[in-house]
Structure formats: C-alpha cells, structure tokens
Amino acid sequence: MTYEQSLEAARTIGTWLSKSTGHYDFLSATPVGPKRAGKKFFIRGAPDMQTASDYGFSYMQVSRDSNVTSAYETLGFDTSSMSKTVDMNRFHLALNFANKHDVSFSYLTTVDGIKGWGVGYKRVLFNWRYFYISHRIQYGRAKLDDYFESINIDNDLSFSLYLRLFDIYAGVKHSFGQAEFNAPNSSLELPKVYYSNEINDLDYFYGAWVATSTNSRFALQVNKFGDELTYTGKFSLWFDSILPIANNWFRDPRYIKQ
C-alpha cells in the first residue's frame, strides 16, 4: 500500500464520517413559523414580529457504502466484523423570526461514543402562497476520542410545498470540510484530509413532515450519501412563540391555521 492509497482511503472514510455527523435540522424550506395571513391594506403602527420554535429529537441511520468499505479494507480493517450502519441521535432546537429566518442548533450522540454539535441558519429566498424556496448554511463538528475529529460545512437550496397539515420538500446540498484521524504510532499519522463536492456530484435529500397535533410534528427525511440512502425520523414539539406556552397543547391538528 502506497502513501497515496492510504491518503485516498482516509479521505473517503473522513468524508463519510464528516458528512454524516454534521449538523442537520431536518426542516423543510418552509420556515418554522410560516406566514398565516395575507397582506393587510390598513395597518396602524408596526406589527409585532412573529416568532416560532421547534424542539425535537431525531434518529438517523447511516449506511456504509461499497466505497467506504473498500477504503477500510485498504487500511487493513476487517469489515466483516464491523457494523454496516451507524445510529445517530440528535437533539434539536430551531427558532424562527419574522417568517423568514430560522436559526437552528443540534447536539449529536451515538452508542459508539461519537459526540458532536452544530448550528445552522436558513433564509427564505422566495415565497408564493404555499410554495417556498430557501437557502441554508450549516456548520457542524464531531469527535470520537482516539479515532477522529471532523468539521463539516453544508450549503443547500431547498424547495417545499406547505399544506398546513403536512409539508413535502426536496433539495440539493454542497458540502466541504476536513477530518483528522488519530493514530497510536506517529509513523502511522496521516495529515488532515479535506473534501469538497464537485458541482456534478452534489448530495440531495427529500422528505415530508406531518402535523400529529397542533403542537407536534413527525418528519421523515432521506439523504443521499455516496451510493447509499440515509433515513431519518424526527419528532418535535412546535410552538407559536420562542418559549413553549401552555395553551391547548396537542389539540386536533385541524385547528392549525393556514
């Protein structure tokens, strides 16, 4: 095995780990607080700024594709004894301001000891009735002691159709970042590996959420990483304010206003 082969294998594994442990809010192009009323002809004074919040938990299962498997084998790992998937749990918080700006935070943990955190910002670029186009930038860091540490930055453009009781969406994503592996022997150390999606090799995602009550949502999202699909389920509590308010929690979702 040449140094170039080991470096390319580390880049493949590092890209997979960094992308999958990055920050995700699992929200559509629709803001957490969509506008629920048309324009008014007569407004006295400046209207109050509308806000909303989303508190959630997600479970994500990341599969190891053939390229990552081959990279591990190049570095001498016995892949037959390795798990084919990595299960990731995230805790989420998203805040919306003025029906256009979402700020999100997440904390990542796995049974294998991976820890991570991330932040994101989403802005609505275009809105026509129930159709939204948004741009989102996300920054995430993750670490597994004595194994790896990574940084991931994502830019995505997403599209959604908000239909009050459910929301369907899709988007494309560009990622870049770095990963650094630790080795017990200094002679085995590799330099940091860097990665960036080519324009013709962007990742994509699609999903939908459904309102299970006036204050709860369930979402399912699919991400394309390499040759495999990654599935995520998310349950969250949603409020018409920054802080949760005790006001008819979990009523019939048909009470939600368009």
Side-chain angles (χ1 to χ4, degrees):
M1 181 177 61
T2 65
Y3 176 79
E4 287 73 20
Q5 287 176 316
S6 63
L7 182 60
E8 186 58 33
R11 180 177 290 108
T12 299
I13 297 170
T15 300
W16 175 65
L17 286 170
S18 183
K19 282 186 178 182
S20 58
T21 58
H23 170 67
Y24 298 92
D25 54 27
F26 302 114
L27 296 170
S28 74
T30 309
V32 173
K35 188 179 295 184
R36 289 179 175 77
K39 293 182 179 180
K40 304 292 184 181
F41 288 102
F42 303 101
I43 298 179
R44 294 183 178 180
D48 294 334
M49 183 176 71
Q50 296 181 8
T51 59
S53 58
D54 180 276
Y55 299 80
F57 168 80
S58 68
Y59 169 76
M60 179 179 183
Q61 190 172 74
V62 183
S63 299
R64 168 168 48 88
D65 68 9
S66 58
N67 293 326
V68 176
T69 300
S70 177
Y72 270 117
E73 292 173 347
T74 298
L75 295 177
F77 287 84
D78 179 12
T79 56
S80 63
S81 62
M82 296 172 60
S83 173
K84 293 184 179 181
T85 61
V86 180
D87 301 328
M88 301 187 182
N89 303 305
R90 287 181 174 87
F91 300 91
H92 301 268
L93 167 63
L95 307 175
N96 173 262
F97 303 93
N99 310 115
K100 286 187 176 182
H101 310 275
D102 281 3
V103 180
S104 58
F105 310 87
S106 70
Y107 176 76
L108 164 72
T109 181
T110 74
V111 295
D112 303 312
I114 300 174
K115 305 291 184 184
W117 60 271
V119 295
Y121 170 71
K122 180 180 74 182
R123 188 182 191 282
V124 176
L125 300 179
F126 175 80
N127 167 226
W128 180 72
R129 300 192 68 183
Y130 315 133
F131 179 71
Y132 290 85
I133 301 176
S134 295
H135 169 256
R136 174 168 32 207
I137 182 169
Q138 303 177 118
Y139 174 87
R141 301 193 68 139
K143 182 178 182 180
L144 177 59
D145 290 337
D146 301 323
Y147 185 46
F148 84 99
E149 186 170 3
S150 68
I151 296 174
N152 174 258
I153 300 175
D154 292 320
N155 276 278
D156 69 54
L157 189 67
S158 56
F159 311 82
S160 68
L161 181 63
Y162 172 70
L163 298 174
R164 189 168 68 94
L165 298 184
F166 62 93
D167 190 330
I168 55 178
Y169 62 94
V172 292
K173 176 182 296 184
H174 176 271
S175 301
F176 63 97
Q178 68 180 40
E180 184 175 11
F181 292 91
N182 302 315
N185 189 329
S186 60
S187 63
L188 299 177
E189 285 284 359
L190 289 170
K192 291 181 181 179
V193 293
Y194 300 89
Y195 66 90
S196 178
N197 280 102
E198 300 293 337
I199 297 300
N200 60 353
D201 189 32
L202 298 176
D203 297 318
Y204 64 82
F205 59 92
Y206 52 89
W209 64 250
V210 60
T212 52
S213 75
T214 52
N215 293 98
S216 60
R217 306 286 186 273
F218 178 76
L220 179 65
Q221 181 169 313
V222 179
N223 286 68
K224 178 69 161 55
F225 289 145
D227 297 329
E228 294 289 340
L229 297 177
T230 293
Y231 298 92
T232 303
K234 178 187 175 184
F235 177 79
S236 59
L237 298 178
W238 182 91
F239 301 96
D240 276 324
S241 60
I242 295 298
L243 297 175
I245 54 176
N247 183 21
N248 294 319
W249 281 31
F250 309 120
R251 289 193 302 174
D252 189 308
R254 288 175 293 181
Y255 281 99
I256 298 173
K257 297 179 181 179
Q258 182 70 59

